[in-house]
Amino acid sequence: QVQLVESGGGLVQAGGSLRLSCSASGGAFSSYAMGWFRQTPGPEREFVACISRTAGSAFAADYGESVKGRFTISRDNAKNTVYLQMNSLKPEDTAVYYCAGRSSPELETYSRTREYNYWGQGTQVTVSS
């Protein structure tokens, strides 16, 4: 059973930075595509970023429009961890951030919640104005 555990959330002032981590266990992390989503009170999870399974050193990544140019997703297969570096944070970035994973061919990315099989429990990010 694959388990995903997020960490790194917290309270930060607008304009500040945070780095979220998602550690995976129980599966072949290097064969997974990974994603980050966020949710404010309401039924929908918003796509934030995703990163493909790597092909050698090559990978693909995609970002939600609201975070492009501010957030960067990366992965370390040796550590079974995916990261989300969040810079220039805004109060509207306040949400619970979820890590997601799925097995995947190389270099494919996925931006829809229904495309992922595995989910973490989430970590709260609060940005104060």
Side-chain angles (χ1 to χ4, degrees), residues 38-46 91-98:
R38 64 189 183 187
Q39 188 167 17
T40 55
E44 299 294 328
R45 288 185 182 180
E46 178 190 4
E92 51 264 43
D93 294 318
T94 295
V96 177
Y97 282 72
Y98 294 91

Side-chain angles (χ1 to χ4, degrees), residues 22 24 27-34 75-77 79-82:
C22 172
F29 177 78
S30 62
S31 69
Y32 297 156
M34 302 296 295
R75 65 188 297 161
D76 185 337
N77 289 340
K79 295 183 178 179
N80 290 351
T81 301
V82 62

Side-chain angles (χ1 to χ4, degrees), residues 62-95:
D62 194 14
Y63 297 90
E65 286 298 322
S66 62
V67 307
K68 280 182 179 178
R70 300 187 298 123
F71 290 10
T72 302
I73 189 170
S74 62
R75 65 188 297 161
D76 185 337
N77 289 340
K79 295 183 178 179
N80 290 351
T81 301
V82 62
Y83 303 98
L84 184 69
Q85 178 66 44
M86 306 187 295
N87 297 330
S88 302
L89 282 161
K90 304 175 182 179
E92 51 264 43
D93 294 318
T94 295

Side-chain angles (χ1 to χ4, degrees), residues 86 109 118:
M86 306 187 295
T109 57
Y118 310 114

Side-chain angles (χ1 to χ4, degrees), residues 1-5 22-29 31-32 34 99-103 117-121:
Q1 181 72 14
V2 175
Q3 290 189 322
L4 302 176
V5 179
C22 172
S23 296
S25 62
F29 177 78
S31 69
Y32 297 156
M34 302 296 295
C99 172
R102 60 161 291 159
S103 59
N117 305 113
Y118 310 114
W119 291 87
Q121 293 300 305

